[in-house]
């Protein structure tokens, strides 16, 4: 019996691991799959709801590390995760994405001689001021295997001398979750609860430190939302980091107006329901750029770079400078009906996790069939 241990920590990790857990069921007589939750995200709305929505089983270990500076958070995860690895001694560890838990757990495993597979490896924004870029670079450089979502990742990894035999183009497990949850999203009541109609609202998310940690920057992005709300209803599920800063900077009044609905972070299914019927999405997220591409919903990404270029090249994503003028000029383009349709990237078909688990069993564990 082989043992595989997968790590989740923050909100964007849950949808990437849920389909992997389901795919391992096919090999349940030969592989034990264990989930560890670091507790980087801990609020019910940032974590528990996702386990329910995605039918992800409870983690065997919850490390409860919580918030802190990057050093504190990373250090706490390393200390706690090492204890788990010493008990479980897995044959392979899986990390996903680019959050602090990804970096902390991969370093811990590699130092104990445990091979690591990075799902969503190889993505690069080339912006080293983003904490996620550092997490991606370090995790890939010490991982034994990278499973990639788009071909740009292969080019990046080869430039960094990653062994080409250990790069597997298997697709996007986050999109597996999207297809899994779409029928449930159709049943969601969130639009009637909020009183919004299909295609008559803009959906906004924003939490990057570079957009929300400084008063002037946050203020000017909020001004753009106020301007948009004169022409279209705005729904804004607010990340805890953004809400904390909004209160700290005394900016609540600015957006406390009729056309803007600021709500708590939503669970996966309700958010998906809002995304698929939105007129467009304005965001600084990573994953939402990919989800809107699959849903064929225009996405405006308020960032100076993206690590997911395929969403721009063939998807529905447009990268804009995160400032008032750029947001409003792209907004006007969308409102005049001049926005392109996108295509769905290769292997974003709902079966990425099955391909990944097949590679693990056949190529890495060398099971005979
Ligand atoms: C993290 C990831 C980011 C990802 C985002 C998705 C890193 C470096 N960043 O950013 O890549 O896009 O998650 O949400 O790993 N907080 C709560 N409740 C929670 C979690 C956080 O109130 O359940 C608040 C805390 O005040 C905390 C702050 O949000 O200090 C930031 O949380 P943290 O996990 O440090 O980073 P995120 O901004 O969420």
């Amino acid at each position: 019996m082989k043992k595989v241990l997968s790590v989740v920590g923050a909100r964007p990790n849950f949808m990437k691991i849920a389909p992997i857990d389901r795919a391992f069921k096919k090999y349940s007589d030969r592989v034990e799959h264990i989930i560890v939750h670091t507790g980087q995200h801990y609020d019910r709305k940032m974590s528990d709801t996702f386990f329910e929505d995605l039918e992800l089983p409870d983690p065997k270990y919850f490390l409860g590390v919580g918030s802190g500076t990057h050093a504190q958070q990373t250090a706490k995860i390393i200390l706690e995760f090492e204890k788990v690895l010493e008990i479980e001694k897995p044959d392979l560890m899986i990390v996903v994405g680019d959050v602090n838990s990804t970096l902390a757990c991969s370093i811990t495993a590699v130092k104990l001689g445990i091979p690591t597979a990075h799902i969503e490896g190889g993505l690069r924004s080339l912006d080293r001021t983003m904490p996620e870029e550092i997490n991606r670079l370090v995790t890939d450089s010490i991982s034994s295997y990278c499973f990639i979502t788009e071909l740009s990742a292969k080019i990046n990894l080869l430039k960094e001398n990653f062994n080409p035999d250990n790069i597997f183009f298997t697709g996007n497990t986050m999109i597996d979750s999207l297809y899994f949850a779409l029928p449930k999203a159709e049943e969601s009541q969130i639009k009637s609860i909020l009183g919004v109609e299909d295609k008559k609202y803009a959906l906004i998310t924003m939490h990057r430190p570079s957009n929300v940690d400084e008063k002037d920057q946050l203020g000017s992005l909020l001004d753009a939302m106020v301007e948009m709300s004169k022409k279209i209803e705005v729904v804004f599920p607010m990340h805890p980091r953004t809400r904390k800063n909004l209160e700290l900077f005394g900016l609540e009044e600015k957006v406390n107006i009729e056309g803007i609905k600021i709500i708590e972070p939503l669970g996966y299914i309700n958010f998906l329901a809002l995304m698929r019927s939105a007129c467009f999405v304005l965001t600084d997220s990573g994953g939402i750029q990919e989800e809107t591409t699959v849903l064929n919903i225009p996405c405006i990404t308020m960032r100076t770079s993206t690590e997911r270029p395929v969403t721009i090249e063939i998807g529905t994503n447009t990268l804009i400078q995160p400032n008032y003028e750029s947001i409003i000029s792209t907004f006007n383009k969308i409102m005049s009906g001049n926005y392109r349709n996108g295509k769905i990237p290769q292997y974003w078909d709902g079966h990425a996790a099955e391909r990944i688990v097949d590679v693990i069993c056949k190529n890495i564990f060398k099971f005979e069939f």
Side-chain angles (χ1 to χ4, degrees):
M1 193 82 170
K2 295 281 189 188
K3 196 184 273 187
V4 177
L5 193 150
S6 289
V7 174
V8 292
R11 186 168 62 174
N13 294 161
F14 306 123
M15 35 287 212
K16 294 172 192 168
I17 285 295
I20 294 284
D21 185 67
R22 264 194 301 281
F24 268 122
K25 296 214 158 55
K26 181 174 152 194
Y27 296 98
S28 59
D29 55 334
R30 301 203 215 182
V31 181
E32 183 189 1
H33 184 230
I34 293 172
I35 297 172
V36 178
H37 187 340
T38 64
Q40 176 175 345
H41 283 174
Y42 46 87
D43 280 356
R44 198 181 143 65
K45 294 188 173 85
M46 298 296 284
S47 175
D48 300 11
T49 328
F50 288 81
F51 279 78
E52 290 155 27
D53 283 359
L54 296 160
E55 298 175 29
L56 189 60
D58 285 345
K60 182 166 178 186
Y61 297 90
F62 180 74
L63 308 183
V65 299
S67 301
T69 65
H70 283 259
Q72 287 164 346
Q73 197 173 54
T74 308
K76 274 198 236 165
I77 298 170
I78 290 176
L79 285 174
E80 294 306 312
F81 189 59
E82 187 178 48
K83 295 178 199 160
V84 174
L85 289 181
E86 272 163 358
I87 298 168
E88 294 291 348
K89 299 190 177 18
D91 298 286
L92 180 75
M93 198 197 57
I94 295 179
V95 290
V96 292
D98 53 18
V99 301
N100 286 344
S101 301
T102 313
L103 166 85
C105 293
S106 49
I107 287 187
T108 316
V110 169
K111 294 255 179 166
L112 291 175
I114 297 163
T116 299
H118 185 200
I119 293 183
E120 203 191 83
L123 296 180
R124 295 288 178 270
S125 66
L126 305 181
D127 174 2
R128 292 198 181 192
T129 65
M130 278 182 83
E132 293 80 4
E133 182 72 353
I134 306 302
N135 294 344
R136 289 187 283 261
L137 279 161
V138 175
T139 302
D140 287 339
S141 71
I142 57 176
S143 289
S144 317
Y145 310 98
C146 273
F147 291 89
I148 64 170
T149 52
E150 58 171 284
L151 283 171
S152 72
K154 184 167 188 172
I155 297 167
N156 297 328
L157 289 168
L158 293 178
K159 269 191 213 150
E160 292 164 20
N161 297 321
F162 198 91
N163 180 351
D165 294 340
N166 292 341
I167 303 172
F168 302 98
F169 182 25
T170 38
N172 195 326
T173 63
M174 202 181 54
I175 303 305
D176 295 359
S177 279
L178 184 146
Y179 285 123
F180 174 78
L182 264 183
K184 296 190 194 185
E186 268 164 45
E187 307 290 310
S188 160
Q189 298 301 310
I190 189 72
K191 283 181 282 174
S192 57
I193 291 168
L194 292 173
V196 291
E197 285 174 47
D198 283 8
K199 303 290 169 194
K200 294 203 173 141
Y201 60 94
L203 180 62
I204 295 184
T205 81
M206 181 165 83
H207 70 282
R208 293 271 155 228
S210 57
N211 280 339
V212 305
D213 283 3
E214 276 173 30
K215 184 176 180 184
D216 289 350
Q217 175 63 10
L218 180 58
S220 80
L221 300 182
L222 296 176
D223 284 338
M225 287 166 211
V226 171
E227 183 60 26
M228 290 188 329
S229 74
K230 293 175 186 162
K231 293 194 189 143
I232 191 165
E233 202 148 16
V234 168
V235 180
F236 187 177
M238 197 174 277
H239 188 284
R241 172 191 282 276
T242 312
R243 186 172 292 271
K244 201 167 71 180
N245 289 337
L246 192 78
E247 287 163 10
L248 183 72
F249 302 146
L251 293 169
E252 300 108 305
E253 283 313 304
K254 203 188 265 289
V255 282
N256 189 7
I257 58 171
E258 173 105 19
I260 302 186
K261 289 184 198 302
I262 296 197
I263 56 174
E264 292 288 310
L266 292 168
Y268 184 66
I269 289 169
N270 283 336
F271 188 75
L272 185 54
L274 278 186
M275 196 161 40
R276 67 190 282 273
S277 299
C279 172
F280 68 92
V281 178
L282 175 67
T283 189
D284 59 10
S285 153
I288 291 173
Q289 299 171 57
E290 299 182 336
E291 290 164 337
T292 45
T293 276
V294 172
L295 297 168
N296 198 25
I297 301 292
C299 180
I300 315 177
T301 302
M302 306 175 275
R303 282 173 43 184
T304 50
S305 59
T306 180
E307 62 287 342
R308 301 163 207 268
V310 76
T311 61
I312 295 178
E313 285 150 18
I314 71 166
T316 57
N317 188 22
T318 300
L319 198 62
I320 60 157
Q321 292 298 317
N323 60 42
Y324 179 92
E325 292 74 23
S326 306
I327 294 174
I328 297 304
S329 107
T330 316
F331 168 66
N332 287 336
K333 235 180 260 167
I334 292 175
M335 294 308 278
S336 64
N338 291 324
Y339 202 84
R340 67 185 196 277
N341 283 317
K343 284 199 218 110
I344 297 181
Q346 191 181 4
Y347 297 147
W348 294 18
D349 57 359
H351 300 287
E354 292 152 44
R355 285 189 283 269
I356 291 170
V357 166
D358 282 348
V359 168
I360 290 173
C361 291
K362 290 176 188 157
N363 301 42
I364 300 176
F365 291 158
K366 308 219 182 293
F367 287 163
E368 304 218 340
F369 295 96

